[in-house]
Amino acid sequence: MSDFDEDTAFLGQTGPYFWTTFFLLNTVFISTGFNGLYMVFIGSTPKHRCLIPDVNLTEEWRSAIIPAKLVDGQIVESQCSRYSLGIVRNLSENGLVPGKDVNLTTLSQEPCLDGWTYSKEIYQSNIVTEWDLVCDDQWKVPFASSSLFVGYLLGSLISGQLSDRFGRKKVVFVSLAAQCVSVLLQSFSHSWRMFCLMFLFVGASQISLYISAFVLGTELLSKTMRVIFTTLGAFLFYCIGYMTLPWIAFAIREWRPLLAVLATTSIIYFPLWWLIPESPRWLLTQGRRDEAEDIVRDAAQKNKVQAPGIIFKEVEVSILSDAKKYTIVDVLRSRNIRCITLMCLVLWMAINIGYFGLSLNTSNLSGDPFMNCFLSATSELPAYVVSTWLLKKCPRRPLLSVFLLIGGGVLLLIQVIPETLQSVALALEMTGKFGFTMAFGIVYIYTAELYPTVIRNVGMGLCSSAARVGSITAPYVIYLGSYNKVLPYVVMGSLTMTSCVVNFFLPETLNKDLPETIDQMQQCKGFCSRPKKGKCVENGTNGSVSLH
């Protein structure tokens, strides 16, 4: 039986059809960059202090009612407590002067019973200022971020099945509509709980959109265009959306209008329904040969080539539609697949903790948060370009290890940078982001090459779920910084170094044939392998990244 690429070889490797499809699909990824990290701004905690109600206090006592202490040579006011208002009011009425007649350290303190007052220097409003997510309730901010990534996890688990059942194109546009509606509804949230609930739907729709569009692109494009799409196109256009986000947030400083604007940008993509075709590969698996041939003939017309009279034979379509359906059980059935899968899970989880940890931490860096976010996004551009070039020539395993070492090493180094050298710390953080972005791009391709065609979709979905667990954890890793600033860097750096060690036990895939069946998979190295007659058998993979 010939494969799809052989049957459609007459289309060529490039041409108007492939380039048009390439750019139209990639524009969809811009919306995922818009909506993926707006929590950096709407969940940022501005400077705040206890609200002092309008009571009879002298100016001296109104200025002194907030406790202060010396931190790194600077006077820092408390953000979560004040001197007891009743006591201060009595002292003020008796004409006593703070610091002169009264020793402030002897006064009792109380929490911010009347709420907080927030600086509007950067943000006019966000979820922190609206629902007072500070002090005892500051844990609600990372929880809200994690609810987005829980949605990612749910979307990763169901999008594959929905795509296989209803078609790639339908899932892409349904997910696009769901993303638009859920972000818009989130902008009308009347409580933190409703905000988190809507964030689940935002995450599920967004990852479903990304995965289904990614798979649709790999199945529609030729081998040459597919490699560019999966290694550069999808990531690069996501980055364009990510880079645009801080400028939109800079222009709109209130969180509700910001989300409404981000939601409505998705509307411009719906006319693409009439321009982007369904996957002919999927149609063939459903036995819909005529529809698949119509799409291929239209592609031939656009590429100005002659299509043969019969493109797909009936017997081939019948065999394809009756092929065995593999499940997650098959990914865990043998010792070798289990070992490779477990190591890939560790890699995906650690890389996502580092990537999203650094992405979400940009609002905590010194300097302008909008510029920091833009620089963080910009650092990804060269990473995607360089990784695409390196993947054509370099072995995957040592390449991934190098960038894991860069990312993890930088994280461990940042903690020793003095407070006075903030520019150096920022440069190191951007270097770490570059390393994790490189690792992020490489692990996608590496994993796709490790799994055989029959379980590649299932294996990638499982790894994507592990990545979601990592991204769910990332906000809490950043939250550790509220106790000790160096803790997030130590945790993320240590996890990255551990994953670098794990990576050494995976087989190499450069210039190897892409495995089609489970028996053709390579054997993992070291303790996982069970070599026969003293040596390990290697069935290779190549640089193709087809997910069909």
Side-chain angles (χ1 to χ4, degrees):
M1 173 183 166
S2 60
D3 65 17
F4 182 90
D5 288 325
E6 291 178 1
D7 291 335
T8 58
F10 62 88
L11 292 175
Q13 292 298 304
T14 58
Y17 166 78
F18 290 124
W19 281 111
T20 301
T21 304
F22 176 85
F23 283 108
L24 291 179
L25 273 174
N26 274 319
T27 57
V28 173
F29 294 115
I30 296 178
S31 71
T32 62
F34 276 156
N35 297 293
L37 290 165
Y38 56 70
M39 191 65 179
V40 169
F41 302 109
I42 69 171
S44 178
T45 303
K47 294 178 182 178
H48 57 280
R49 53 178 286 179
C50 290
L51 174 66
I52 308 304
D54 189 16
V55 295
N56 187 24
L57 293 177
T58 63
E59 287 300 320
E60 291 88 350
W61 277 110
R62 189 169 290 276
S63 300
I65 194 172
I66 304 297
K69 60 182 178 179
L70 191 65
V71 178
D72 296 328
Q74 293 183 336
I75 300 297
V76 178
E77 288 187 333
S78 172
Q79 299 184 113
C80 299
S81 64
R82 68 188 184 191
Y83 292 120
S84 176
L85 183 61
I87 296 174
V88 169
R89 186 175 181 179
N90 289 333
L91 294 172
S92 177
E93 290 175 349
N94 291 329
L96 299 178
V97 179
K100 181 180 179 181
D101 302 322
V102 179
N103 184 358
L104 295 177
T105 59
T106 63
L107 299 180
S108 61
Q109 298 182 18
E110 62 185 11
C112 300
L113 302 177
D114 298 295
W116 288 261
T117 178
Y118 298 92
S119 168
K120 292 188 176 183
E121 180 183 357
I122 300 176
Y123 308 104
Q124 291 299 308
S125 71
N126 62 17
I127 65 170
V128 175
T129 63
E130 179 150 343
W131 296 313
D132 290 330
L133 306 184
V134 293
C135 300
D136 291 341
D137 284 335
Q138 63 180 333
W139 62 271
K140 292 183 177 181
V141 176
F143 186 94
S145 297
S146 289
S147 64
L148 170 72
F149 298 123
V150 171
Y152 278 10
L153 175 60
L154 296 175
S156 298
L157 293 174
I158 66 173
S159 62
Q161 284 114 357
L162 292 175
S163 182
D164 287 341
R165 180 172 181 179
F166 299 106
R168 286 43 167 142
K169 178 180 174 179
K170 287 182 180 178
V171 174
V172 166
F173 285 93
V174 169
S175 300
L176 194 60
Q179 177 184 263
C180 176
V181 172
S182 54
V183 175
L184 187 61
L185 290 177
Q186 192 180 33
S187 70
F188 291 98
S189 298
H190 56 75
S191 67
W192 170 78
R193 290 183 178 85
M194 180 180 176
F195 180 90
C196 293
L197 178 62
M198 295 314 304
F199 231 4
L200 283 173
F201 291 100
V202 172
S205 59
Q206 186 180 119
I207 197 64
S208 178
L209 170 62
Y210 190 93
I211 292 176
S212 54
F214 191 89
V215 172
L216 179 58
T218 60
E219 294 182 347
L220 281 174
L221 298 172
S222 63
K223 286 183 178 180
T224 300
M225 297 294 293
R226 190 183 309 151
V227 172
I228 301 173
F229 177 80
T230 54
T231 59
L232 184 60
F235 295 126
L236 197 60
F237 278 76
Y238 164 85
C239 190
I240 291 172
Y242 182 12
M243 290 172 62
T244 309
L245 172 63
W247 299 108
I248 300 175
F250 178 81
I252 307 172
R253 305 294 183 96
E254 296 184 19
W255 74 276
R256 292 183 187 275
L258 173 62
L259 293 193
V261 168
L262 293 177
T264 54
T265 57
S266 298
I267 296 175
I268 64 175
Y269 296 110
F270 289 106
L272 298 183
W273 171 269
W274 291 276
L275 301 175
I276 297 175
E278 179 58 273
S279 166
R281 296 173 189 264
W282 177 79
L283 291 171
L284 290 175
T285 64
Q286 306 301 304
R288 295 156 64 176
R289 187 190 70 165
D290 292 341
E291 294 177 58
E293 287 202 349
D294 288 342
I295 292 173
V296 175
R297 292 186 191 282
D298 180 62
Q301 184 179 4
K302 291 177 180 177
N303 277 358
K304 298 180 180 179
V305 296
Q306 183 66 40
I310 298 177
I311 301 174
F312 307 111
K313 297 179 181 178
E314 285 281 3
V315 63
E316 293 177 353
V317 176
S318 176
I319 293 173
L320 192 59
S321 60
D322 294 336
K324 177 186 174 181
K325 306 298 182 183
Y326 287 84
T327 65
I328 194 172
V329 177
D330 297 287
V331 178
L332 304 174
R333 191 178 299 278
S334 72
R335 177 186 177 90
N336 183 56
I337 302 177
R338 281 198 305 272
C339 285
I340 288 178
T341 299
L342 289 174
M343 287 188 284
C344 287
L345 296 182
V346 171
L347 281 171
W348 281 65
M349 193 180 302
I351 291 171
N352 272 262
I353 289 176
Y355 176 83
F356 283 104
L358 289 178
S359 297
L360 294 171
N361 195 48
T362 53
S363 60
N364 297 326
L365 298 175
S366 60
D368 185 85
F370 305 102
M371 182 55 67
N372 289 340
C373 182
F374 178 73
L375 291 175
S376 179
T378 304
S379 69
E380 296 190 14
L381 281 176
Y384 293 135
V385 175
V386 172
S387 64
T388 301
W389 180 74
L390 290 176
L391 281 167
K392 294 179 180 179
K393 303 180 179 182
C394 299
R396 278 65 167 127
R397 186 173 56 188
L399 193 62
L400 181 57
S401 295
V402 166
F403 289 105
L404 287 173
L405 283 173
I406 291 174
V410 164
L411 288 173
L412 295 176
L413 183 61
I414 287 177
Q415 58 186 302
V416 301
I417 303 299
E419 291 283 342
T420 55
L421 298 176
Q422 289 297 328
S423 58
V424 176
L426 179 61
L428 285 175
E429 186 129 355
M430 294 304 109
T431 303
K433 183 69 181 297
F434 175 85
F436 278 111
T437 304
M438 289 286 294
F440 202 94
I442 294 167
V443 78
Y444 253 91
I445 310 307
Y446 192 16
T447 306
E449 293 173 349
L450 285 169
Y451 283 109
T453 300
V454 293
I455 59 169
R456 188 170 297 118
N457 224 8
V458 177
M460 291 291 287
L462 191 61
C463 290
S464 182
S465 299
R468 304 290 75 82
V469 173
S471 55
I472 291 168
T473 309
Y476 291 100
V477 175
I478 297 303
Y479 179 61
L480 293 175
S482 61
Y483 299 102
N484 190 312
K485 287 186 177 181
V486 304
L487 271 180
Y489 299 107
V490 172
V491 172
M492 290 189 291
S494 301
L495 286 172
T496 306
M497 291 301 186
T498 301
S499 67
C500 183
V501 174
V502 169
N503 182 54
F504 285 115
F505 294 98
L506 287 171
E508 183 51 62
T509 62
L510 179 66
N511 297 327
K512 303 293 179 68
D513 294 329
L514 193 70
E516 296 293 337
T517 66
I518 292 178
D519 291 337
Q520 293 176 356
M521 280 188 73
Q522 294 193 75
Q523 297 292 316
C524 60
K525 309 293 182 181
F527 61 89
C528 283
S529 60
R530 283 185 174 177
K532 297 180 180 180
K533 296 182 180 181
K535 62 180 181 180
C536 188
V537 179
E538 290 194 4
N539 301 302
T541 58
N542 69 5
S544 173
V545 289
S546 170
L547 300 182
H548 67 279

